Amino acid sequence: SLPTARMNPVIWWIRSSFQSVQDMGSDSLVQQLAQKPGHILLLDVRSAAEYEVSHLEGAVRIDPDTSDVGTLVKELGLTGGMEEKEVICYCTAGYHASEMAQRLDKALPPGRGSTRVYSLEGGLVSWANDGKPMVDSGGQTTALVHPYNKVWAQLLEPQYRAPV
């Protein structure tokens, strides 16, 4: 489809901008959530307005402009211990999520156990275009995504674009 074709160069651009950040594809995330749900921490790196339209169930919203990542690491309970954690950051298309993943990874303490930080490849755009589940602010299932702006809206299949 046209939106999927448009998404490929965006994914490439984000990957080349954040080469130290590991991506996780949506199929892999679905598998991880099924196999070890208690070990996954989902971070939604978008505005409150975007989060209210839709987000991954159980996700914690983080302001993309958060400056004190050290405090954030403490608040999220990522300061150590041996418990394995997979932290998956996501946003609309992946840029803010990759930026946050990079910052979080650098802020994690040396004794962080086996905590790994990822960015969801293609963000909610790819997730929605793949028909994967999301919820709105009331916890109801939804297929709509806040497109962030008119340019990013072109990456979403038309039936998944929330009116903004």
Side-chain angles (χ1 to χ4, degrees), residues 2-4 9-10 33 42 77 80 92 94 99 102 120 127 136 150 156:
L2 189 56
T4 303
V10 172
L33 287 168
L42 298 170
T92 306
E99 192 174 45
Q102 187 176 60
L120 178 61
W127 184 269
D136 63 18
K150 286 187 168 115
L156 275 163

Side-chain angles (χ1 to χ4, degrees), residues 10-21 23 98 121:
V10 172
I11 290 171
W12 178 86
W13 168 65
I14 292 167
R15 270 199 193 135
S16 61
S17 301
F18 299 97
Q19 293 177 11
S20 68
V21 174
D23 279 340
S98 293
E121 183 183 276

Side-chain angles (χ1 to χ4, degrees), residues 11-64:
I11 290 171
W12 178 86
W13 168 65
I14 292 167
R15 270 199 193 135
S16 61
S17 301
F18 299 97
Q19 293 177 11
S20 68
V21 174
Q22 283 185 278
D23 279 340
M24 182 178 288
S26 59
D27 290 339
S28 295
L29 179 54
V30 168
Q31 195 176 12
Q32 293 283 336
L33 287 168
Q35 289 173 351
K36 42 186 180 178
H39 296 284
I40 306 287
L41 175 60
L42 298 170
L43 299 181
D44 188 308
V45 189
R46 300 179 302 151
S47 71
E50 292 168 291
Y51 180 85
E52 283 172 18
V53 171
S54 61
H55 54 269
L56 301 187
E57 193 166 16
V60 176
R61 191 187 77 79
I62 303 295
D63 193 308

Side-chain angles (χ1 to χ4, degrees), residues 5-161:
R6 287 178 179 144
M7 194 64 208
N8 291 332
V10 172
I11 290 171
W12 178 86
W13 168 65
I14 292 167
R15 270 199 193 135
S16 61
S17 301
F18 299 97
Q19 293 177 11
S20 68
V21 174
Q22 283 185 278
D23 279 340
M24 182 178 288
S26 59
D27 290 339
S28 295
L29 179 54
V30 168
Q31 195 176 12
Q32 293 283 336
L33 287 168
Q35 289 173 351
K36 42 186 180 178
H39 296 284
I40 306 287
L41 175 60
L42 298 170
L43 299 181
D44 188 308
V45 189
R46 300 179 302 151
S47 71
E50 292 168 291
Y51 180 85
E52 283 172 18
V53 171
S54 61
H55 54 269
L56 301 187
E57 193 166 16
V60 176
R61 191 187 77 79
I62 303 295
D63 193 308
D65 300 322
T66 297
S67 56
D68 189 355
V69 180
T71 298
L72 185 61
V73 164
K74 288 187 188 99
E75 287 172 357
L76 295 170
L78 302 174
T79 48
M82 297 313 291
E83 187 188 9
E84 181 184 340
K85 273 263 191 249
E86 309 273 332
V87 180
I88 294 90
C89 300
Y90 71 87
C91 60
T92 306
Y95 191 89
H96 284 127
S98 293
E99 192 174 45
M100 183 60 72
Q102 187 176 60
R103 293 170 66 205
L104 278 173
D105 199 52
K106 284 180 180 164
L108 286 172
R112 68 193 196 179
S114 53
T115 296
R116 288 185 296 280
V117 184
Y118 300 89
S119 176
L120 178 61
E121 183 183 276
L124 275 194
V125 166
S126 292
W127 184 269
N129 286 345
D130 288 346
K132 296 200 165 39
M134 297 174 292
V135 294
D136 63 18
S137 58
Q140 300 301 305
T141 302
T142 184
L144 297 178
V145 173
H146 188 299
Y148 183 68
N149 63 28
K150 286 187 168 115
V151 175
W152 293 120
Q154 300 308 307
L155 301 172
L156 275 163
E157 297 289 349
Q159 68 270 30
Y160 302 134
R161 292 177 200 156

